[in-house]
Amino acid sequence: PDEEIDGVEDVSGTEVVSQAQANISTGSGTDAPEATFDSAAPVQEVEFDSGTDATGGSVEVTEVSEPPEETGDPPGSSTTVADVQVPSEVEDDPATVTMRVSADRLADIDATAADLRIHRYADGEWQPLDTRVAEETDGGVVLEADTPGFSFFAASAVGEPDAELSLPSDAVTPDTTVTLDASSSTDPYGEIVSYEWSVSDETLTGQTTSLALEEPGTYTVELTVTNDAGETDVVTETLVVSDPASTDVAPNTAAAADGTTDGAGTTESVDRETFGAVPPLWLLGIGAAFVVAVLGVTAILRRDSSPGERL
């Protein structure tokens, strides 16, 4: 119909898949009013809470091929969208809604019964309902959900997203711009709607973002992703910021440790294979001792020589 339905102004543009109507009556063995549909309807049953004013009238279910423009898509991968109309006096009464999802529709979205949720459109958004799997057969799945009122309902598959982040593999220097990339994050049924980063008490947003850290150190980068069903996933990685001044060795200092300097100031390396690990001061001492020994031997030879030989 073209008239306003539960705050949705225009549903005439959507294709109607099926319509069903059932009278409200008191259920057998209980005083709770209920409306029961045949097995082909997307909504199997609407059971009002005991004491509700639903003493007569009927419930009408209209299944549409896609959500109306005013509601937008429900979270996850939708299997069924239906407008449930009840008498105006019980529009905001609590009830239990039972919906059926066929095995073919489950196969189309590659979902399991455990991933199915019922959502209700209210206050301008799709709101998740406490959903239970009432029955699972080869023909499909029957779901139950408690609802505080009536509007459009959707049965869809939702699941937790998988957060993935990418950081530079090597250490970076202070004040270097680092790109944080979460584009590899995925969601099994719906879409990721929020990316939130936390680094050194700083919060950033976006699938990709960047920052520069001033101080050297080891930082924890935390990414939280949220999908359209409100499900979240968190992943952390480590980012190392190193100070190049603490790792570089001055060239002149290194040369002094491993070589000698000629008159022009050029450093020449010493062959460590020749001297091994003997410290330079030890080498100086050994050289001095060698000189003293040579001088001593020379003095003895000169003393023992004849006068003629000395001349």
Side-chain angles (χ1 to χ4, degrees), residues 45-265:
E45 184 180 74
V46 174
E47 181 179 333
F48 296 90
D49 285 1
S50 299
T52 185
D53 294 331
T55 56
S58 63
V59 176
E60 182 176 322
V61 175
T62 302
E63 182 183 11
V64 293
S65 59
E66 59 185 22
E69 183 178 349
E70 290 294 325
T71 69
D73 294 330
S77 296
S78 175
T79 64
T80 305
V81 179
D83 177 37
V84 180
Q85 292 285 301
V86 298
S88 58
E89 63 269 18
V90 292
E91 284 181 351
D92 297 322
D93 282 10
T96 300
V97 174
T98 303
M99 299 185 69
R100 179 180 178 273
V101 178
S102 68
D104 291 340
R105 294 197 178 187
L106 277 179
D108 289 342
I109 61 174
D110 193 22
T112 64
D115 292 332
L116 293 176
R117 301 288 186 276
I118 296 178
H119 291 78
R120 171 180 174 256
Y121 186 79
D123 300 326
E125 63 180 359
W126 288 100
Q127 300 175 354
L129 301 178
D130 184 15
T131 306
R132 305 172 293 277
V133 176
E135 183 182 3
E136 184 176 3
T137 65
D138 293 340
V141 179
V142 176
L143 306 172
E144 290 181 351
D146 300 324
T147 177
F150 293 88
S151 177
F152 277 89
F153 292 83
S156 58
V158 299
E160 291 184 356
D162 183 18
E164 295 285 345
L165 66 86
S166 175
L167 298 175
S169 57
D170 299 328
V172 299
T173 55
D175 294 323
T176 299
T177 300
V178 178
T179 299
L180 310 179
D181 187 358
S183 58
S184 297
S185 301
T186 58
D187 188 81
Y189 300 114
E191 60 179 351
I192 297 176
V193 297
S194 172
Y195 300 83
E196 184 173 297
W197 304 83
S198 176
V199 186
S200 184
D201 297 329
E202 183 176 359
T203 300
L204 305 167
T205 59
Q207 186 182 70
T208 59
T209 187
S210 60
L211 81 162
L213 297 167
E214 298 179 357
E215 299 295 330
T218 301
Y219 295 86
T220 298
V221 179
E222 181 179 278
L223 167 66
T224 302
V225 298
T226 305
N227 65 10
D228 53 2
E231 303 279 351
T232 63
D233 188 32
V234 180
V235 65
T236 60
E237 292 287 351
T238 299
L239 177 64
V240 177
V241 178
S242 60
D243 186 355
S246 64
T247 56
D248 291 346
V249 179
N252 291 338
T253 303
D258 291 331
T260 58
T261 304
D262 60 14

